[in-house]
Amino acid sequence: MQHLLEQHSEWARMGRRKGFTEAIAGEATELTSLASLAEPSPTKLPKCDESFVSRGGALSGTFQAPELSNPNNISRLCLYTFIAAPGQRVLVELRTFNLRGKPPDGAAVGELPACMHEYMDIYSEMTSLEASELVNSAFGGRYCGPIPPRRRVSLHRAVALAFYTDKQYTPPTLFTGTYRFINSSEYEVGNPVPNTLCSFVIEATKRKTGLLLSPTYPGIYPKDISCNYQFIGQPGQRIRLEFRDFDLFFGGPHCPFDWVRVYDGPDNSSAVIGTYCGQQRNLVLYSSDERLLVTFFTLPRAANTQNRGFKGIFEFSESFVKLDFISKHDAEHIRGSECDQKILSKKESTGFVYHPNYPFPYIQKVVCRYFIYGMQDSQNLERVRLEFQNFSIPKGENPKPDTCPDGYLKVYLRGQEATDSYDKHDAELCGEGAAGPPAFPPPLLSDGPRLVMVFSSGELQGRGFKAKYTFETEYRVPGTAAPGGECAFTYRSEAKKRGDFNSPRYPSNYPSRTNCTYTLVANPNEQVTVVFDHFKVKADAWNATAGLYGGATCSEDWVEAWWTGREGSRVPLGRWCGPATPGPLQSPRGALGLLLALHTNEESVASGFKARYVFEPAKSIFGDCGGNMSGAEYGVITSPRFPIAYEAPARGDASRVCNWFVTARPGKRVLLNFENFAVEGHLTDRGCPAAVLRLWYESPGPPLELCGEKAPTDRWQYLSSSNSIRLSFIIADKSVGAAGWRAVWTEVSAETEGCASACAGACLPPSTICSGLQHCAGAVVKKPAHC
């Protein structure tokens, strides 16, 4: 603080202030009178210093600014000193303050505010009262303007206020304040540690309860200080700290500047309960055993902070909750709490939670929280199931219905603790449970991976509770889940006529190494339709060609579908992967329903699928249109209304379906050639979500799935492996329509020797020569003259 003496030579010329030194040296020595302290300086200006000394007289008083007339604008410095007796400290508070000057809004760290012509400097950490000691004492800040400095408590026995002005007139109303000499014993929290300023050992054998104060509370706390408060209890005791007031400089969430750190043990190698700064509310901490360390640290910076530190109370007690009801089971005590615990899943693991003091009746007036957290990461998603095996939390006499007037167990199933929404519980449980009716509270199931319980015991004592928790995989799939917890879901017509289902965790990525099944069961004389609204299944090596899906093209992740029969039989419909959405699916008349399966390997994943289902009354085997083609050598099949665009189904219907069955004579085969084809969708880019034509022409095997648009030069021609083919055209309710398709079917022979007209490795019947139809893709249609 050399700047203070250099800047103001008038103060330096004041020289020796005998009263300071004598006051600190001992109360037996008489202080020099204020008259002698005000001995004229060489400037011949009257003295304006004041000194307030505790000598067994008044322990409090007031002070105000000096009234100075200074027509020549000569700089004046007035020193106000407050000197406490041994065993005392000084508390100084400015009540009004209006020094003429404007400090900047944000002076940089280390810079003094720009108070030039009138200001007050504060010193509250002086170890002695010699005038020269002000140079070596910590500088408490320079103040001007209308905002008064916050109160100060001396670190030792003295506070000095240095008031500087070079104004022509100083009224006594410029500042006013009060001082009070207070007992310093409350700052001695325990036994002082030798050669330290503010470190103490607090032993339960000497003091079971008491105050815990920062060194100059409620005044601004000192800079460049480190205090340790070591609590030592007796075996079986725990320590409770409650901070009633906490106000430290906030430098960021990690408290990089000033902080209080609490260690759950005897020294700073013990586990840390927490590091705290800023303003804390309702900060209550408990040790795990009989030892605790609190460290208070401040940086040696020159920033003009105005924080008051902390005030708390401590208590050693044997009556705090014993933690063995946590440590004996698969749970972990949350450090700093009286009895909170956390339980983390070990992948589909199970365990038990108990009331505090289990197996004995619980203690009154205790609050314990249980945080039961399942796995939640890119590969796992769990939920928590809670089942009670014992329950007794008394309600007392004549309680109101559905209320818990004394103790309770509140359960949170939706992650409310993340936002401290403890008033929004999902269940509040109390009363007497029994194994028979009335049963224990019913099982509870969390919405996501977190379940939290808050147990509060009231005035009445009860037997408490025991509950089993189970972490089970949460697939986030609607439907009736398999009882064993596997990824298997059933949708029955009698339960719900229409609904949704999806890949696990949709719209998030599905997990790897997963197999899921979706079983849709129709009533007799019903059919079920499935329409996909989103589909993206990982397939890095996908190389599907027009309508061909199967094991050769989907070898990583895939979706498969089957028709299911009532005797357990299954008919494959296809396998899909990549971005190509499956076309709408419908079970045929007489079938049990549909079965879908998702398979994922251990490699990367994708967003999966979302689909919807509808159970409807069964239609004829031909659907809404279609028919049976037999007894002829050839014919034509077209989409409804062709060449006019096909239509979406009637309002409220899930789909429009047309089924054609083409049967040739035994030993013959069927050749199908598409002359025109335009169905909304794209086989490889987006699949056939709105409409699809399925063609069964190879037996056994799934059908060919067709959508998109055929160019005039493309050849879409298919030869059956038997004497029959089946076509199924399904239009979903989200269809917008397209031009449709036209196909020519022909009964052909596999024997081509001596064949007059061959096509695709088969022999066309002679009658096709005069049909005028495009029986063979790419051939020129031309009737001979004899037709």
Side-chain angles (χ1 to χ4, degrees), residues 545-547 671-677 683 695 697 704 706 709-719 742-744 758-761 774-781:
T545 56
L671 179 66
L672 188 71
N673 176 44
F674 286 95
E675 295 181 322
N676 308 92
F677 196 96
L683 281 174
L695 169 63
Y697 73 101
L704 183 68
L706 298 173
E709 189 166 348
K710 182 183 90 72
T713 55
D714 289 346
R715 298 187 179 188
W716 287 19
Q717 183 171 268
Y718 304 96
L719 179 64
R742 170 186 164 99
V744 176
C759 179
Q774 184 87 38
H775 296 277
C776 188
V780 178
V781 178

Side-chain angles (χ1 to χ4, degrees), residues 198-237:
C198 54
S199 292
F200 301 91
V201 177
I202 305 101
E203 297 176 282
T205 54
K206 297 180 180 179
R207 186 184 299 180
K208 290 194 71 172
T209 62
L211 281 176
L212 178 64
L213 297 177
S214 53
T216 56
Y217 182 89
I220 293 174
Y221 61 76
K223 305 175 181 69
D224 193 15
I225 200 168
S226 181
C227 308
N228 289 302
Y229 307 88
Q230 187 182 37
F231 295 85
I232 302 176
Q234 295 179 298
Q237 290 182 329

Side-chain angles (χ1 to χ4, degrees), residues 527 586-589 617-627 655-661 726-730:
Q527 292 172 278
Q586 187 181 78
S587 62
R589 183 184 181 91
K619 303 172 182 177
S620 79
I621 61 170
F622 304 121
D624 299 291
C625 50
S655 62
R656 173 174 294 179
V657 181
C658 303
N659 297 318
W660 293 270
F661 301 88
R726 172 177 177 164
L727 293 91
S728 182
F729 186 43
I730 307 180

Side-chain angles (χ1 to χ4, degrees), residues 249-273:
F249 177 73
F250 182 73
H254 301 294
C255 302
F257 300 113
D258 302 345
W259 43 260
V260 167
R261 185 169 294 153
V262 183
Y263 297 89
D264 196 13
D267 53 46
N268 59 10
S269 66
S270 305
V272 175
I273 291 176

Side-chain angles (χ1 to χ4, degrees), residues 569-589:
S569 61
R570 298 194 302 187
V571 177
L573 291 174
R575 175 184 289 187
W576 300 269
C577 59
T581 306
L585 303 169
Q586 187 181 78
S587 62
R589 183 184 181 91

Side-chain angles (χ1 to χ4, degrees), residues 498-562:
R498 58 178 65 219
D500 299 318
F501 64 96
N502 49 262
S503 55
R505 306 181 65 180
Y506 179 86
S508 300
N509 288 350
Y510 53 75
S512 60
R513 299 185 301 276
T514 299
N515 288 286
C516 298
T517 60
Y518 308 84
T519 305
L520 298 103
V521 183
N523 288 331
N525 298 316
E526 277 189 336
Q527 292 172 278
V528 59
T529 299
V530 169
V531 177
F532 288 84
D533 290 324
H534 174 86
F535 190 90
K536 189 174 183 182
V537 174
K538 189 266 299 180
D540 294 338
W542 190 54
N543 60 351
T545 56
L548 178 61
Y549 299 89
T553 57
C554 294
S555 57
E556 296 168 288
D557 299 350
W558 65 74
V559 170
E560 289 184 287
W562 297 266

Side-chain angles (χ1 to χ4, degrees), residues 131-178:
S132 60
E133 176 60 20
L134 291 181
V135 178
N136 301 319
S137 295
F139 183 48
R142 176 168 292 178
Y143 300 90
C144 62
I147 300 175
R150 290 193 178 178
R151 70 184 83 174
R152 292 297 199 282
V153 172
S154 63
L155 184 59
H156 300 285
R157 289 173 49 202
V159 171
L161 308 179
F163 169 60
Y164 169 84
T165 183
D166 60 8
K167 301 290 186 180
Q168 290 186 350
Y169 175 69
T170 299
T173 56
L174 210 57
F175 62 85
T176 63
T178 62

